[in-house]
């Protein structure tokens, strides 16, 4: 679920505004939107949860 949610949000961020009108209005580049996307704490915490879940699925008893 996390992968789908973050992927959809990232696609929307990269897609940006409303085409040429948004570009003419000073819409930031796709790289700037991606950097801003990953700077949000919510996205960072979702990625941390994803990494932790994958890690636990691969090794359910990591500290034993």
């Amino acid at each position: 679920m996390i992968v789908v949610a973050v992927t959809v949000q990232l696609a929307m961020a990269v897609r940006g505004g409303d085409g040429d009108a948004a570009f003419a209005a000073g819409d930031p580049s796709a790289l700037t939107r991606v950097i801003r996307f990953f700077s949000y704490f919510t996205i960072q915490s979702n990625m941390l949860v994803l990494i932790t879940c994958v890690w636990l699925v691969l090794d359910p008893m990591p500290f034993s």
Side-chain angles (χ1 to χ4, degrees), residues 6-60:
V6 171
T7 303
V8 169
Q9 291 173 347
L10 180 60
M12 290 171 54
V14 169
R15 184 168 169 255
D18 188 27
D20 294 333
F23 182 75
D27 195 26
S29 69
L31 178 61
T32 302
R33 291 191 299 263
V34 169
I35 290 170
R36 288 180 182 173
F37 176 79
F38 283 108
S39 69
Y40 286 106
F41 176 74
T42 306
I43 300 302
Q44 294 171 2
S45 62
N46 282 340
M47 298 303 290
L48 184 60
V49 169
L50 173 65
I51 291 167
T52 304
C53 288
V54 169
W55 182 25
L56 289 173
V57 165
L58 295 176
D59 186 11

